[in-house]
Amino acid sequence: GAGVSQTPSNKVTEKGKYVELRCDPISGHTALYWYRQSLGQGPEFLIYFQGTGAADDSGLPNDRFFAVRPEGSVSTLKIQRTERGDSAVYLCASSLRVGGTDTQYFGPGTRLTVL
Amino acid sequence: GIQVEQSPPDLILQEGANSTLRCNFSDSVNNLQWFHQNPWGQLINLFYIPSGTKQNGRLSATTVATERYSLLYISSSQTTDSGVYFCAVPNYGGSQGNLIFGKGTKLSVKP
């Protein structure tokens, strides 16, 4: 079946603007994760969902970041008042269940550049 | 939280050579994954290996959970093996679900 998809693949925006990044998980996966990867680093956790609810948002850097998953499938990561430091690759992953014992499958990422 | 350390940070190989990448983690885990990030940024699952040994073609992995390390072996390396290899373990031993990644090993295979 289809893997995790993310749109857009690239997003260039200006400082202060609002952006939305979309993730389509693998069908039937109840767990969905957002990570952020800066150049030369490993991905860092932002937030994860079990079904529609955010089970853990402890990785979100501040209140400019917000994510939703209203129907338990597609998720949108929203960033308000973007800053140059938000530039990174935003990765989405899904797994069959939450709990750390299932393989997480990653999408291709959205490269966000804030000018 | 759990710490993940990978070594070496960089590795340059001649095509056909073998290599071993290491991942150490600071606490007990019930899951460990190895990924290959290709030059286009895609994270590709290599192994889900909480313990024991698995093999897939020229790649194999071994996790010794009691000693908190995992090894990734690449035999007869090819230029397409180039990229960054990450290991990742669940936060808080698995109860939280999100993965903690090491900083990766950047592998360059020269023809």
Short mmCIF file of all heavy atoms in Angstrom, two decimals, chain B residues 71-105:
data_model
loop_
_atom_site.label_atom_id
_atom_site.label_comp_id
_atom_site.label_asym_id
_atom_site.label_seq_id
_atom_site.Cartn_x
_atom_site.Cartn_y
_atom_site.Cartn_z
N LEU B 71 24.55 -3.00 16.82
CA LEU B 71 25.53 -2.88 15.74
C LEU B 71 24.84 -3.09 14.40
O LEU B 71 23.99 -3.97 14.27
CB LEU B 71 26.64 -3.92 15.91
CG LEU B 71 27.42 -3.88 17.23
CD1 LEU B 71 28.37 -5.08 17.30
CD2 LEU B 71 28.19 -2.59 17.37
N LEU B 72 25.24 -2.29 13.45
CA LEU B 72 24.77 -2.45 12.07
C LEU B 72 25.98 -2.80 11.21
O LEU B 72 26.96 -2.07 11.20
CB LEU B 72 24.11 -1.18 11.55
CG LEU B 72 23.61 -1.21 10.11
CD1 LEU B 72 22.41 -2.15 9.97
CD2 LEU B 72 23.22 0.20 9.64
N TYR B 73 25.89 -3.94 10.52
CA TYR B 73 26.96 -4.39 9.65
C TYR B 73 26.58 -4.17 8.20
O TYR B 73 25.48 -4.54 7.79
CB TYR B 73 27.24 -5.89 9.83
CG TYR B 73 27.52 -6.33 11.25
CD1 TYR B 73 26.49 -6.83 12.04
CD2 TYR B 73 28.80 -6.28 11.78
CE1 TYR B 73 26.75 -7.25 13.33
CE2 TYR B 73 29.06 -6.70 13.07
CZ TYR B 73 28.02 -7.19 13.84
OH TYR B 73 28.27 -7.61 15.13
N ILE B 74 27.50 -3.60 7.47
CA ILE B 74 27.31 -3.45 6.02
C ILE B 74 28.45 -4.20 5.34
O ILE B 74 29.63 -3.88 5.56
CB ILE B 74 27.33 -1.97 5.58
CG1 ILE B 74 26.28 -1.17 6.37
CG2 ILE B 74 27.07 -1.85 4.08
CD1 ILE B 74 26.33 0.33 6.10
N SER B 75 28.11 -5.18 4.54
CA SER B 75 29.15 -5.95 3.84
C SER B 75 29.15 -5.58 2.36
O SER B 75 28.11 -5.18 1.80
CB SER B 75 28.92 -7.46 4.01
OG SER B 75 27.71 -7.83 3.39
N SER B 76 30.32 -5.70 1.77
CA SER B 76 30.48 -5.43 0.33
C SER B 76 29.78 -4.13 -0.07
O SER B 76 28.89 -4.11 -0.93
CB SER B 76 29.92 -6.59 -0.50
OG SER B 76 30.52 -7.81 -0.13
N SER B 77 30.19 -3.05 0.57
CA SER B 77 29.49 -1.77 0.42
C SER B 77 29.43 -1.31 -1.04
O SER B 77 30.32 -1.59 -1.84
CB SER B 77 30.15 -0.70 1.29
OG SER B 77 31.50 -0.55 0.93
N GLN B 78 28.35 -0.61 -1.36
CA GLN B 78 28.14 -0.06 -2.69
C GLN B 78 27.91 1.44 -2.57
O GLN B 78 27.55 1.94 -1.49
CB GLN B 78 26.93 -0.73 -3.34
CG GLN B 78 27.06 -2.24 -3.47
CD GLN B 78 25.83 -2.90 -4.03
OE1 GLN B 78 24.81 -2.26 -4.28
NE2 GLN B 78 25.92 -4.21 -4.26
N THR B 79 28.13 2.16 -3.67
CA THR B 79 27.97 3.61 -3.61
C THR B 79 26.56 4.01 -3.19
O THR B 79 26.37 5.04 -2.56
CB THR B 79 28.30 4.24 -4.97
OG1 THR B 79 27.48 3.65 -5.98
CG2 THR B 79 29.78 4.03 -5.33
N THR B 80 25.59 3.17 -3.49
CA THR B 80 24.20 3.46 -3.10
C THR B 80 23.97 3.33 -1.60
O THR B 80 22.90 3.71 -1.10
CB THR B 80 23.23 2.53 -3.85
OG1 THR B 80 23.67 1.18 -3.66
CG2 THR B 80 23.20 2.86 -5.34
N ASP B 81 24.95 2.79 -0.89
CA ASP B 81 24.84 2.72 0.58
C ASP B 81 25.15 4.08 1.22
O ASP B 81 24.93 4.25 2.42
CB ASP B 81 25.80 1.67 1.15
CG ASP B 81 25.46 0.26 0.71
OD1 ASP B 81 24.27 -0.02 0.44
OD2 ASP B 81 26.39 -0.57 0.63
N SER B 82 25.67 4.99 0.47
CA SER B 82 26.02 6.31 1.02
C SER B 82 24.79 6.99 1.61
O SER B 82 23.66 6.77 1.17
CB SER B 82 26.63 7.20 -0.06
OG SER B 82 27.84 6.67 -0.54
N GLY B 83 25.03 7.80 2.62
CA GLY B 83 23.95 8.49 3.30
C GLY B 83 24.23 8.52 4.79
O GLY B 83 25.35 8.25 5.23
N VAL B 84 23.21 8.80 5.56
CA VAL B 84 23.35 8.85 7.02
C VAL B 84 22.53 7.72 7.63
O VAL B 84 21.37 7.52 7.28
CB VAL B 84 22.88 10.21 7.59
CG1 VAL B 84 23.12 10.25 9.10
CG2 VAL B 84 23.61 11.35 6.90
N TYR B 85 23.16 7.01 8.54
CA TYR B 85 22.51 5.90 9.23
C TYR B 85 22.18 6.33 10.65
O TYR B 85 23.04 6.80 11.40
CB TYR B 85 23.41 4.66 9.24
CG TYR B 85 23.54 4.07 7.85
CD1 TYR B 85 24.42 4.60 6.93
CD2 TYR B 85 22.75 2.98 7.47
CE1 TYR B 85 24.51 4.08 5.64
CE2 TYR B 85 22.84 2.45 6.20
CZ TYR B 85 23.72 3.01 5.28
OH TYR B 85 23.80 2.48 4.01
N PHE B 86 20.91 6.18 11.00
CA PHE B 86 20.45 6.55 12.34
C PHE B 86 19.94 5.31 13.08
O PHE B 86 19.31 4.43 12.48
CB PHE B 86 19.28 7.53 12.26
CG PHE B 86 19.64 8.91 11.79
CD1 PHE B 86 19.37 9.30 10.48
CD2 PHE B 86 20.23 9.82 12.64
CE1 PHE B 86 19.68 10.57 10.03
CE2 PHE B 86 20.56 11.10 12.20
CZ PHE B 86 20.28 11.47 10.90
N CYS B 87 20.21 5.29 14.37
CA CYS B 87 19.47 4.37 15.21
C CYS B 87 18.53 5.20 16.09
O CYS B 87 18.80 6.38 16.35
CB CYS B 87 20.37 3.47 16.06
SG CYS B 87 21.26 4.32 17.37
N ALA B 88 17.44 4.59 16.51
CA ALA B 88 16.45 5.31 17.29
C ALA B 88 15.78 4.34 18.26
O ALA B 88 15.52 3.18 17.92
CB ALA B 88 15.40 5.95 16.38
N VAL B 89 15.50 4.84 19.46
CA VAL B 89 14.83 4.03 20.48
C VAL B 89 13.66 4.82 21.03
O VAL B 89 13.64 6.05 20.96
CB VAL B 89 15.80 3.66 21.63
CG1 VAL B 89 16.97 2.84 21.10
CG2 VAL B 89 16.30 4.90 22.36
N PRO B 90 12.66 4.14 21.59
CA PRO B 90 11.52 4.86 22.15
C PRO B 90 11.92 5.63 23.40
O PRO B 90 12.76 5.19 24.17
CB PRO B 90 10.52 3.76 22.50
CG PRO B 90 11.00 2.54 21.83
CD PRO B 90 12.47 2.68 21.68
N ASN B 91 11.29 6.77 23.58
CA ASN B 91 11.52 7.55 24.78
C ASN B 91 10.96 6.82 25.99
O ASN B 91 9.99 6.08 25.88
CB ASN B 91 10.84 8.91 24.63
CG ASN B 91 11.42 9.94 25.54
OD1 ASN B 91 12.43 9.70 26.22
ND2 ASN B 91 10.78 11.11 25.61
N TYR B 92 11.57 6.98 27.14
CA TYR B 92 11.12 6.38 28.39
C TYR B 92 10.91 4.88 28.24
O TYR B 92 9.99 4.32 28.80
CB TYR B 92 9.84 7.04 28.89
CG TYR B 92 9.97 8.52 29.07
CD1 TYR B 92 9.21 9.40 28.33
CD2 TYR B 92 10.89 9.04 29.97
CE1 TYR B 92 9.34 10.77 28.47
CE2 TYR B 92 11.03 10.40 30.13
CZ TYR B 92 10.25 11.27 29.38
OH TYR B 92 10.38 12.60 29.53
N GLY B 93 11.76 4.23 27.45
CA GLY B 93 11.72 2.78 27.37
C GLY B 93 10.58 2.21 26.56
O GLY B 93 10.40 1.01 26.48
N GLY B 94 9.75 3.05 25.96
CA GLY B 94 8.69 2.52 25.11
C GLY B 94 7.32 3.01 25.49
O GLY B 94 6.40 2.93 24.73
N SER B 95 7.15 3.55 26.72
CA SER B 95 5.81 3.94 27.15
C SER B 95 5.32 5.19 26.46
O SER B 95 4.12 5.42 26.38
CB SER B 95 5.81 4.17 28.66
OG SER B 95 6.72 5.21 28.99
N GLN B 96 6.25 5.99 25.91
CA GLN B 96 5.83 7.24 25.31
C GLN B 96 5.66 7.14 23.80
O GLN B 96 5.00 7.95 23.20
CB GLN B 96 6.85 8.34 25.63
CG GLN B 96 6.91 8.69 27.10
CD GLN B 96 5.60 9.30 27.57
OE1 GLN B 96 4.95 10.04 26.87
NE2 GLN B 96 5.20 8.93 28.78
N GLY B 97 6.28 6.21 23.18
CA GLY B 97 6.06 5.99 21.75
C GLY B 97 6.97 6.75 20.83
O GLY B 97 7.39 6.23 19.82
N ASN B 98 7.27 8.03 21.13
CA ASN B 98 8.11 8.78 20.21
C ASN B 98 9.54 8.27 20.27
O ASN B 98 10.00 7.77 21.29
CB ASN B 98 8.06 10.26 20.52
CG ASN B 98 8.48 10.58 21.94
OD1 ASN B 98 7.73 10.35 22.88
ND2 ASN B 98 9.69 11.09 22.09
N LEU B 99 10.24 8.40 19.15
CA LEU B 99 11.60 7.89 19.05
C LEU B 99 12.62 8.96 19.39
O LEU B 99 12.44 10.14 19.06
CB LEU B 99 11.87 7.38 17.63
CG LEU B 99 11.07 6.15 17.19
CD1 LEU B 99 11.35 5.83 15.73
CD2 LEU B 99 11.40 4.95 18.06
N ILE B 100 13.70 8.53 20.04
CA ILE B 100 14.86 9.36 20.28
C ILE B 100 15.95 8.89 19.32
O ILE B 100 16.31 7.70 19.33
CB ILE B 100 15.35 9.25 21.72
CG1 ILE B 100 14.24 9.65 22.69
CG2 ILE B 100 16.59 10.11 21.93
CD1 ILE B 100 13.80 11.08 22.60
N PHE B 101 16.46 9.79 18.51
CA PHE B 101 17.45 9.45 17.50
C PHE B 101 18.86 9.82 17.97
O PHE B 101 19.06 10.81 18.68
CB PHE B 101 17.18 10.23 16.21
CG PHE B 101 16.05 9.70 15.39
CD1 PHE B 101 14.73 9.94 15.76
CD2 PHE B 101 16.28 8.96 14.24
CE1 PHE B 101 13.67 9.45 15.01
CE2 PHE B 101 15.23 8.48 13.48
CZ PHE B 101 13.93 8.72 13.87
N GLY B 102 19.82 9.02 17.53
CA GLY B 102 21.21 9.42 17.64
C GLY B 102 21.52 10.49 16.60
O GLY B 102 20.66 10.85 15.79
N LYS B 103 22.76 10.96 16.61
CA LYS B 103 23.15 11.99 15.65
C LYS B 103 23.53 11.42 14.29
O LYS B 103 23.77 12.17 13.35
CB LYS B 103 24.29 12.84 16.21
CG LYS B 103 23.87 13.69 17.39
CD LYS B 103 24.95 14.68 17.80
CE LYS B 103 24.41 15.60 18.90
NZ LYS B 103 25.40 16.63 19.28
N GLY B 104 23.62 10.10 14.22
CA GLY B 104 23.84 9.47 12.93
C GLY B 104 25.29 9.22 12.61
O GLY B 104 26.21 9.82 13.20
N THR B 105 25.50 8.30 11.69
CA THR B 105 26.81 8.04 11.09
C THR B 105 26.69 8.37 9.60
O THR B 105 25.86 7.77 8.92
CB THR B 105 27.24 6.58 11.26
OG1 THR B 105 27.51 6.31 12.63
CG2 THR B 105 28.49 6.29 10.43
#
